[in-house]
Amino acid sequence: MMDILTNPDEMLEKMLNSLGAESVAEGGAALETGRRIITFNPDAIAQGRASLNDLAPGSIASSSDFDGDDITGEGLSGASGLVFEELGVAILDEASGMAASSFGDGSSATAAFSANEPEIFMFPAGVDPAEYLRGFAAAAARIRDDLAAGGGGGGGEGEGADDPASAVLGNTWGIAAVRANTSRFTGRGIKIAILDTGFDFRHPDFFGRSITHRSFISGQTTQDGHSHGTHCTGTAAGPRAPAGNIPRYGVAFEANIFIGKVLSNTGGGTSASILAGMNWAVANRCEVISMSLGGGGGPYAYYTQAGQQALNAGCLIIAASGNDSNRPGVIRPCLAPANSPTIMACAALDPNLGVAYYSNGGPIEIAGPGSSVYSSVPMPKRYDVKTGTSMATPHAAGCAALLAQATGLRANALRAALRARARPLPRPVTDVGSGLVQAIQ
Amino acid sequence: MVSAKPISSRRNSGYHAAMADPVEYIVTLAPGAAAAAVADALRAKGFSATSVLAELAMLVGTADPDTVEACKSIDGVTALEPSQPIQLPPGDPQ
């Protein structure tokens, strides 16, 4: 177990190697653990146990030693084998098992043992052992990382996990599509601003997180009375492993969160309130600014200049393209502020990676998962599914935060790198730009 | 999702009854322009600056639409546009 926690990748390699290609091809699961299972003759259990004690004096434990209690790893510490008296079997470590096999014919031990077989790993029916082990290794890696949390972080380029192996642990479709679940990066050290309806500070998934906030709506605190802002924040920066049977829904789970309330509890705002929030986010040097909002007209000089000033300060703004289309017949142009050339416009995809019917077109730069997105909402509901380019945008913003952490790139360099790493899609660039945003691995 | 109608400050006292309602505007400043000096020049033409967005090089304020055109020619002003309302829709898509 410690080996697995220390180096799950190496452990996985060993296990997959021992599994063997033929075994996988045949659907078999002849993956040996290295231990042996001795089956005693029913009328010679005492004799068999005595033989094992001769083999390894003092180091063979018995289920009867536990007196009805659960048999624990701690209780077996130092033992080289365990006899299950009620079952008439014993499990031996590799050395003792091999020694037991060496008893010659005619010995009392041979007479007491009816079988000496390798212990094998067992897998749930219908599960590919190789896939199962990859998932297991991913889980072990996650535990290792969690145990190591608080030191280091960062790291170099990953090994490029092409298959979403840790989906075994549960991820939303959006997290899997952008491959945030296999990324080694977390957003640590990166400030990501979500300019929206605020945030629910009572949400337990965010307890302990660094959250800086300010309201630009007169008479209203930053507390989210709408739900849109809490949902977008969850997608951009929600936890790696939500409590309970909840899939991972957040991309940059260690990013520093900046909440700027620029839309009211009824979802309304003005260019002035939005610009005030942008000014605040830039003043705080938020490397990534996510804006799931938009209005008609433009491009406006003020949004274009705001985007440029942000870039000059090392901040990249990503904004939603808008939801006014009704494809395939009606394709509306990108809204403001996303239609400003200094701001990155994000379109929405559905779970089949098609352009979402509502997603606006025009100067699109990137696309993200937008339909049926599961994320956090204010308590007591806690989670909900929402659809729109508003949901696509924080996926892109979260991936930008990971990339900013991994590469140190900022502003237009970060923007270009995010586009370069996008997964191309067989769709018009006016609909999806460079394609599906991807998390750096 | 949006209305093109500019934001009104809703000020409509008797004193202003004969004038158009003040509208909120965003002033985009030229590179290197001093916000305070531009605000003073704007005030002289009836524009009331309410906030400075220093990081973005902008001013926010209100003015009567009938008089705002004269403000656009002030040195240091590159654009003067009305603030726009934005409203999230009540349901999906959002």
Side-chain angles (χ1 to χ4, degrees):
Chain A
M1 190 65 176
M2 284 307 296
D3 284 346
I4 294 171
L5 289 176
T6 303
N7 194 338
D9 297 327
E10 185 179 323
M11 186 67 181
L12 172 65
E13 193 65 33
K14 285 182 182 176
M15 295 169 86
L16 290 174
N17 286 342
S18 67
L19 185 61
E22 300 90 315
S23 176
V24 174
E26 293 166 3
L31 180 56
E32 299 181 7
T33 68
R35 294 186 295 208
R36 308 286 298 184
I37 298 179
I38 306 292
T39 305
F40 300 129
N41 283 321
D43 54 356
I45 293 176
Q47 181 186 354
R49 180 173 178 181
S51 297
L52 293 181
N53 282 332
D54 290 342
L55 190 68
S59 66
I60 303 296
S62 171
S63 56
S64 61
D65 298 338
F66 292 84
D67 196 25
D69 294 334
D70 290 340
I71 299 171
T72 65
E74 289 177 0
L76 289 173
S77 179
S80 58
L82 172 66
V83 176
F84 291 92
E85 306 271 4
E86 298 80 2
L87 303 179
V89 300
I91 299 177
L92 305 180
D93 63 19
E94 188 168 17
S96 299
M98 294 307 293
S101 300
S102 69
F103 282 118
D105 288 345
S107 71
S108 59
T110 301
F113 302 157
S114 64
N116 182 337
E117 302 164 303
E119 181 192 34
I120 61 173
F121 285 109
M122 303 298 289
F123 300 94
V127 171
D128 174 3
E131 285 302 306
Y132 185 92
L133 288 174
R134 288 192 183 96
F136 178 73
R142 180 165 298 184
I143 294 168
R144 175 198 59 188
D145 291 348
D146 287 347
L147 289 174
E157 288 270 342
E159 296 173 358
D162 283 329
D163 58 36
S166 60
V168 69
L169 295 173
N171 300 282
T172 62
W173 82 264
I175 290 295
V178 303
R179 301 204 307 152
N181 54 319
T182 55
S183 174
R184 290 194 170 196
F185 299 97
T186 65
R188 178 179 290 189
I190 301 300
K191 291 175 281 190
I192 183 168
I194 295 91
L195 305 182
D196 212 289
T197 60
F199 180 70
D200 180 17
F201 296 93
R202 304 162 302 181
H203 203 294
D205 283 5
F206 295 83
F207 287 169
R209 293 289 296 276
S210 167
I211 302 179
T212 304
H213 60 96
R214 184 166 170 185
S215 176
F216 300 93
I217 300 298
S218 179
Q220 294 186 9
T221 69
T222 326
Q223 177 65 33
D224 185 8
H226 185 281
S227 82
H228 191 269
T230 302
H231 199 276
C232 292
T233 302
T235 299
R240 184 181 203 178
N245 189 28
I246 301 299
R248 176 177 170 184
Y249 58 85
V251 177
F253 58 89
E254 286 192 324
N256 297 321
I257 299 170
F258 280 66
I259 302 293
K261 183 173 183 135
V262 300
L263 300 176
S264 71
N265 290 333
T266 55
T270 67
S271 306
S273 64
I274 293 164
L275 287 165
M278 295 169 79
N279 185 74
W280 170 78
V282 173
N284 281 285
R285 297 295 183 265
C286 293
E287 290 87 350
V288 181
I289 301 172
S290 184
M291 298 179 64
S292 291
L293 51 82
Y300 296 101
Y302 51 75
Y303 282 139
T304 301
Q305 174 147 314
Q308 186 59 58
Q309 293 288 111
L311 293 170
N312 293 346
C315 310
L316 176 63
I317 300 174
I318 305 174
S321 70
N323 311 308
D324 308 291
S325 299
N326 189 15
R327 295 169 183 270
V330 179
I331 302 176
R332 300 290 187 197
C334 194
L335 299 180
N339 59 7
S340 280
T342 55
I343 291 175
M344 198 168 190
C346 183
L349 303 173
D350 61 33
N352 296 318
L353 303 188
V355 182
Y357 75 89
Y358 50 82
S359 186
N360 289 352
I364 304 298
E365 295 195 39
I366 203 94
S371 297
S372 303
V373 173
Y374 182 92
S375 185
S376 49
V377 295
M379 300 294 284
K381 193 169 186 180
R382 194 176 295 221
Y383 307 105
D384 201 3
V385 173
K386 292 182 185 292
T387 285
T389 53
S390 286
M391 286 65 246
T393 301
H395 278 106
C399 289
L402 302 187
L403 190 55
Q405 175 199 7
T407 63
L409 296 174
R410 300 290 184 266
N412 269 330
L414 177 63
R415 180 185 193 173
L418 196 64
R419 294 190 65 168
R421 288 177 173 274
R423 175 180 165 185
L425 297 171
R427 315 286 178 196
V429 294
T430 51
D431 287 339
V432 300
S434 298
L436 172 60
V437 69
Q438 295 287 280
I440 185 171
Q441 299 296 303
Chain B
M1 192 166 181
V2 68
S3 163
K5 185 179 179 183
I7 305 297
S8 166
S9 70
R10 301 183 189 281
R11 190 175 60 178
N12 195 16
S13 66
Y15 177 79
H16 294 281
M19 306 171 66
D21 282 348
V23 170
E24 190 170 47
Y25 288 93
I26 313 296
V27 179
T28 304
L29 303 178
V38 174
D40 287 344
L42 286 167
R43 188 178 304 111
K45 292 186 180 295
F47 184 100
S48 177
T50 54
S51 62
V52 177
L53 305 178
E55 295 288 342
L56 307 183
M58 292 178 199
L59 295 172
V60 179
T62 57
D64 291 322
D66 294 341
T67 62
V68 77
E69 276 303 311
C71 298
K72 293 182 179 177
S73 59
I74 291 174
D75 281 349
V77 174
T78 57
L80 200 160
E81 300 161 300
S83 181
Q84 302 286 341
I86 285 182
Q87 178 64 52
L88 295 175
D92 285 340
Q94 300 187 30

